[in-house]
């Protein structure tokens, strides 16, 4: 296909993701707006009925693979990463953290441990707290904002894979209607809406590959 404009990716891609872009015949430009700092995974964890993960980043240094309780994951990629470590997971009806919280409450969980980052969003903790779930948190990674100027022009596309990337972009860039904005999921899309973006192309599922497919569909 003939690419309409430049595709700007606001995070560093894995080799597999780069290969996917090349196989799609698309040229992409990476400008990472955030940086992940992984922390040592805690050796001693409190007893709880469930573990909760809403990001692959939270299990980067997960070494403990024995847990008798339930494991909940938001998003297919996070669930797949946990499966590779030997965990069976439960998920919500959609790939949002709020949907996962609703599933946890519906299952009657009374206590849970949430593995998260320093910039974790409030939807899941607030919902579970209202439902009477005793929720403890373990911060296992830090998200550092690294804003950079992105010289996007009319017809270009910006891919956002996290709300923090949107926040980082907005620190020194402006959103323009002649730029196409792509979101990996509903949470990121909501952050874009709060910045005044009216039209958002949201991937069918939360993955870079799905975003590329969405872009291809929109630009046939």
């Amino acid at each position: 296909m003939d690419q309409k404009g430049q595709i700007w990716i606001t995070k560093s891609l894995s080799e597999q993701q780069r290969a996917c872009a090349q196989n799609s015949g698309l040229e992409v430009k990476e400008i990472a707006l955030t940086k992940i700092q992984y922390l040592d995974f805690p050796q001693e964890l409190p007893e709880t009925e469930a573990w909760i993960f809403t990001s692959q980043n939270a299990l980067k240094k997960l070494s403990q693979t024995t847990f008798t309780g339930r494991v909940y994951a938001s998003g297919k990629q996070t669930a797949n990463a946990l499966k590779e470590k030997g965990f069976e997971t439960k998920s919500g009806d959609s790939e949002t953290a709020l949907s996962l919280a609703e599933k946890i409450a519906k299952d009657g969980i009374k206590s849970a441990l949430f593995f998260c980052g320093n910039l974790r969003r409030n939807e899941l903790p607030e919902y579970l707290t209202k439902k009477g779930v005793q929720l403890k948190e373990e911060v296992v990674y830090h998200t550092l904002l690294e804003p950079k100027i992105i010289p996007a022009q009319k017809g270009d596309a910006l891919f956002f894979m996290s709300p923090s990337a949107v926040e980082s972009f907005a620190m020194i860039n402006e959103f323009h209607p002649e730029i196409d904005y792509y979101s990996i999921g509903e949470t990121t899309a909501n952050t874009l809406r709060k910045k005044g973006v009216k039209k958002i192309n949201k991937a069918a599922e939360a993955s870079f590959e799905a975003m590329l497919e969405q872009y291809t569909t929109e630009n046939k």
Side-chain angles (χ1 to χ4, degrees):
M1 61 169 288
D2 292 330
Q3 192 168 311
K4 186 174 72 169
Q6 178 66 59
I7 300 175
W8 303 87
I9 312 298
T10 59
K11 67 163 284 185
S12 296
L13 299 178
S14 66
E15 290 301 322
Q16 182 179 356
Q17 290 171 329
R18 292 190 189 102
C20 179
Q22 292 176 352
N23 293 337
S24 300
L26 298 172
E27 294 184 9
V28 303
K29 189 173 182 65
E30 300 172 42
I31 298 186
L33 301 183
T34 60
K35 180 180 180 180
I36 302 300
Q37 181 183 64
Y38 300 104
L39 308 179
D40 290 334
F41 210 84
Q43 296 299 312
E44 296 184 6
L45 297 172
E47 292 187 5
T48 185
E49 293 180 37
W51 284 0
I52 304 172
F53 296 87
T54 59
S55 169
Q56 292 183 81
N57 293 323
L59 52 101
K60 180 71 172 181
K61 290 196 172 185
L62 173 62
S63 56
Q64 183 176 342
T65 56
T66 56
F67 177 61
T68 57
R70 298 182 183 181
V71 179
Y72 291 87
S74 174
K76 291 182 180 179
Q77 291 188 321
T78 304
N80 288 338
L82 283 163
K83 186 175 182 180
E84 290 177 0
K85 289 182 176 288
F87 293 101
E88 292 297 325
T89 63
K90 293 178 175 291
S91 299
D93 292 333
S94 69
E95 296 190 88
T96 66
L98 180 57
S99 177
L100 184 65
E102 292 171 347
K103 170 64 175 173
I104 293 168
K106 184 178 180 180
D107 286 350
I109 296 297
K110 299 301 182 185
S111 63
L113 182 58
F114 181 25
F115 298 97
C116 59
N118 63 313
L119 298 183
R120 69 107 175 99
R121 298 183 65 81
N122 296 325
E123 291 90 345
L124 182 142
E126 288 181 352
Y127 184 90
L128 292 180
T129 300
K130 289 179 181 179
K131 292 296 182 179
V133 178
Q134 292 183 340
L135 186 67
K136 295 183 179 180
E137 299 182 18
E138 286 284 352
V139 175
V140 292
Y141 69 95
H142 287 168
T143 300
L144 309 176
L145 303 187
E146 296 189 332
K148 302 178 184 71
I149 293 291
I150 296 183
Q153 301 179 19
K154 182 178 180 179
D156 285 358
L158 264 66
F159 280 29
F160 289 99
M161 265 76 91
S162 68
S164 55
V166 176
E167 297 292 353
S168 182
F169 176 86
M171 290 174 70
I172 56 174
N173 296 274
E174 294 184 359
F175 294 93
H176 298 287
E178 65 269 21
I179 306 298
D180 293 328
Y181 298 96
Y182 286 76
S183 164
I184 197 168
E186 184 59 30
T187 304
T188 302
N190 279 335
T191 306
L192 283 167
R193 292 186 189 102
K194 290 177 181 178
K195 300 299 182 183
V197 179
K198 302 298 183 182
K199 182 183 178 182
I200 302 165
N201 301 284
K202 190 176 69 173
E205 62 179 52
S207 72
F208 174 70
E209 293 78 6
M211 294 177 77
L212 284 180
E213 184 176 348
Q214 180 72 14
Y215 177 89
T216 301
T217 301
E218 295 285 338
N219 293 278
K220 285 183 177 178

